[in-house]
Amino acid sequence: KRLLSRGKTCAICGGNFQENLLVAAHIKKRSECTDKEKGDLNNIAMLACKLGCDALYEFGYLIVDESGMILPTKKLLSESNNKALSLGRINRKCTAHTKQTEKYFSWHRKRFE
């Protein structure tokens, strides 16, 4: 509800969706978060659509760089059958990227680069 109060836009593809097509996606995997990070409710998660963006990010096909740009990983580039899934997402600005969220995006980058 906290994320939805900011709007109903996917942070990855930028699409506006009904609530049932959005999920609170952890920027840093929850099982890897400290208790303090789990409590950082304003910064640890972003809205991602269930139409591909959540899975592409969670499974390491997409990362967000230091400037907030969405980039493909080697994993995506090496699996040609998945390249089409990234269309319209690459080189977009991730709307969830801020100074406060960068440390979580950095963790994700290091995990999947």
Side-chain angles (χ1 to χ4, degrees), residues 30-49:
R30 184 168 170 78
S31 64
E32 298 290 326
C33 290
T34 64
D35 288 340
K36 183 178 180 182
E37 290 172 334
K38 288 176 185 175
D40 189 8
L41 300 177
N42 290 321
N43 300 304
I44 195 64
M46 63 180 166
L47 283 178
C49 72

Side-chain angles (χ1 to χ4, degrees), residues 11-70:
I12 302 291
C13 70
N16 291 307
F17 296 99
Q18 299 282 36
E19 290 179 22
N20 64 337
L21 293 176
L22 293 166
V23 63
H26 281 83
I27 298 169
K28 178 178 178 181
K29 189 173 180 166
R30 184 168 170 78
S31 64
E32 298 290 326
C33 290
T34 64
D35 288 340
K36 183 178 180 182
E37 290 172 334
K38 288 176 185 175
D40 189 8
L41 300 177
N42 290 321
N43 300 304
I44 195 64
M46 63 180 166
L47 283 178
C49 72
K50 295 178 183 178
L51 304 177
C53 291
D54 179 48
L56 288 168
Y57 182 81
E58 182 176 347
F59 297 117
Y61 291 99
L62 300 175
I63 57 170
V64 176
D65 76 4
E66 301 87 3
S67 67
M69 296 302 290
I70 299 163

